[in-house]
Amino acid sequence: MTDFEKGMLFVEFLGTANTVFTNYMTLVFAMVTASYFIAARMHWSVAGMFLAVYTIAALMAGSGVVFAFGDFFSLGDWVSQTSDPQNSALSWLGPVANRTTRMSGGIPFVAAMVIASYLGSVIFFFLVRKQRATSADTAD
């Protein structure tokens, strides 16, 4: 594989990973927005179904983020291993220029970020639900 092909593959993998991440963050933002506006009005059974559907979608989209960035990081490691930093036209590219750091070390960070954003959005749902229920009781 030529240096040009490696560079293009690296850029394409990054673009794909970012698209999957954008879709996941859109889902999380939709959850936070829906929580803010309707969480307190939901009957407990509707809230349970809402959270179940959200959990399924978040699990699917979140695992896609982890897998896409995992592939991107693994590709970066492969580019680093198969490119000679002295003779490669990719000597400016991170994985080739900095061969001492493995990109695949970023996978736990991405997984933690996905889990934290899911948990944060669910906690926000319950906080809004509790706060609005409490404020509705005191307003009467």
Side-chain angles (χ1 to χ4, degrees), residues 22 53-54 58 67 70 78 80 82 84-85 89 111 117 121 132:
T22 300
V53 169
Y54 172 66
F67 297 150
W78 178 79
S80 174
T82 59
D84 179 17
S117 61
S121 63
R132 299 250 169 120

Side-chain angles (χ1 to χ4, degrees), residues 30-132:
M31 171 61 171
V32 169
T33 304
S35 296
Y36 184 79
F37 289 112
I38 63 173
R41 295 186 210 152
M42 290 181 182
H43 186 268
W44 65 267
S45 60
V46 174
M49 287 187 291
F50 179 75
L51 289 173
V53 169
Y54 172 66
T55 298
I56 292 168
L59 183 61
M60 292 175 60
S63 62
V65 169
V66 173
F67 297 150
F69 274 98
D71 290 344
F72 171 68
F73 293 150
S74 295
L75 176 64
D77 291 343
W78 178 79
V79 168
S80 174
Q81 294 166 359
T82 59
S83 299
D84 179 17
Q86 309 302 344
N87 299 325
S88 175
L90 296 175
S91 60
W92 56 270
L93 190 65
V96 179
N98 186 7
R99 297 173 61 101
T100 60
T101 305
R102 292 184 50 86
M103 286 184 64
S104 56
I107 295 172
F109 172 74
V110 171
M113 180 181 59
V114 166
I115 291 168
S117 61
Y118 167 77
L119 291 175
S121 63
V122 171
I123 290 168
F124 182 79
F125 175 85
F126 285 112
L127 288 175
V128 167
R129 194 167 163 85
K130 180 181 178 186
Q131 177 188 18
R132 299 250 169 120

